[in-house]
Amino acid sequence: MKNWEKNLREITPYVPGEQPDFPDMIKLNTNENPYPPAPGVARMLKEMQAPKLALYPNPGAKLLVEELSAQYHIAPERIFVGVGSDDVLAMIFMTCFCSEKPILFPDITYSFYDVWAELFRVPYRTVPLDEEFRIRKEDYYKENGGVIIANPNAPTSIGEAPDFIEDIVKHNPDSVVVVDEAYIDFGGESAFSLLEKYDNLLVVQTFSKSRSMAGMRIGFAFGSERLISAIYAVRNSYNSYTMNYPSIVCGAEALKDRAYFEECTKKIIRTRERTKEELRRLGFSFPDSRTNFLFVTHERVPAAELFAMLREKHIFVRYFKAPRIDNYLRITIGTDEQMERLIEVLKEYLRTA
C-alpha cells in the first residue's frame, strides 16, 4: 500500500436498487411511483425561465418551505428541506448524533443507516426485530446517543401507530429520536402530531414516493426550531446551495394539488390490496403492508430463484441477500397492468415449479 493510500477512508457503500433500461421492462425494484407528478409540475417546467438557472437558488428554499408550512400548518422555522430524504437524514446524522454513546436502529431496516454511521463515525448498535419483523419498543428504553426508526419500516413494510412511537420518544428524553416516514402516505399514521409535545423529535418525509418526484430529489424534516436551526447550521457549513431551483419551484407546485396527490395514493393502495389477494392464492405470505411495496416469501420456491426468473422476463424486483431476509422479495406496487403481468408470470412459473 502506498503511503497516500493509508489516509483514504475505506467504507462499504450503500448499494442502490438497479436502474435497468429495457423498452419492455416492468420496474418494481426501487419503490418509485408508477404515476406522473401532479400536472402543475409539468406546467411549471415548461414555463420555467432559463435565465433563472444561471443564478444560485434561495439557500433556504424559501418558496418550498413556505408551501410546506401552509400545507402542514407548521412554522417555517420548524422545517428543513434537502436533496431527497437521504440528504436530510445525512445532515441529521452529522448534526444530532454526536454522542460517544451508540445510536440505535433495527437490524432489518433502511440499509443506509449503518453506512452513514460508518461514514460520519457515529457509534451505533442494531436492535433485532422480533420473529414477525416487528420493533420491540422496550428495546429502545436503554441509554443511547440517539434513535432512528423507519415507520413504516423498509423493507418489511410494517407500520406502527403514533402511540407506539410516542412511547419510544417518551423513554428517550435525552436523545434525538428520528422517525423516517418515507412511506407514510400509503396507509401509515404519521408521528407529526407528536411534535408539539416533544422537542427532541424529528419527522422526515420525502417527495420521492407518494408525490412521484424521485427524479427531483426533495426531502424534508419537521422538528423543534432548536433542532432545525442546528441542522441548517451544519448544512450551511457543508453546502449552502444544495437544492436546485427547478426542484424548489416544482416541489412547491406539487404541494398545491392535494386532490391529485390523494388520488394517486388511493390508486396505489387499491392495487396493493388486489395484489395481496392474488399473491396469497399463489402461496405467498407477507406482512400487512402500509407502504407502496410488499415484502413476500413463497411457501415452496426460494426467493433467489424467483428473482432470477423474473429478471429474465425483464420484471425487476428487489432481492436482499442478507441474514433473516434472504428468502424474501420486495415488490413495488406498479400500475394495475404491471401487477397483472407480474401475477401472470408468477402463476405460469409456479404451475410447474
Side-chain angles (χ1 to χ4, degrees), residues 29-66:
N29 66 326
T30 48
N31 297 343
E32 293 145 324
N33 197 311
Y35 302 107
V41 173
R43 185 180 67 251
M44 189 60 63
L45 286 170
K46 287 180 181 178
E47 296 174 358
M48 196 172 295
Q49 298 174 350
K52 285 280 192 180
L53 300 180
L55 306 175
Y56 285 112
N58 180 276
K62 186 172 182 288
L63 181 67
L64 178 59
V65 168
E66 287 177 346

Side-chain angles (χ1 to χ4, degrees), residues 13-14 86 93 109-117:
Y14 170 76
D86 286 343
F93 268 68
T109 191
Y110 187 29
S111 52
F112 228 141
Y113 297 161
D114 58 342
V115 174
W116 284 319

Side-chain angles (χ1 to χ4, degrees), residues 96-103 140-147 167-178 198-201 227:
C96 304
F97 297 155
C98 301
S99 168
E100 295 180 356
K101 301 171 188 174
I103 65 170
Y140 294 85
Y141 293 175
K142 64 188 77 171
E143 195 173 21
N144 61 72
V147 174
D167 196 72
I168 293 174
V169 181
K170 193 183 298 182
H171 279 85
N172 288 280
D174 300 321
S175 303
V176 174
V177 178
V178 182
Y198 301 98
D199 59 4
N200 62 324
L201 173 64
L227 276 177

Side-chain angles (χ1 to χ4, degrees), residues 120-139:
F120 301 130
R121 297 179 177 174
V122 174
Y124 70 96
R125 185 176 302 143
T126 58
V127 183
L129 299 177
D130 69 15
E131 296 75 16
E132 297 181 340
F133 297 139
R134 300 196 83 100
I135 293 169
R136 287 179 290 234
K137 58 186 179 181
E138 295 80 11
D139 292 344

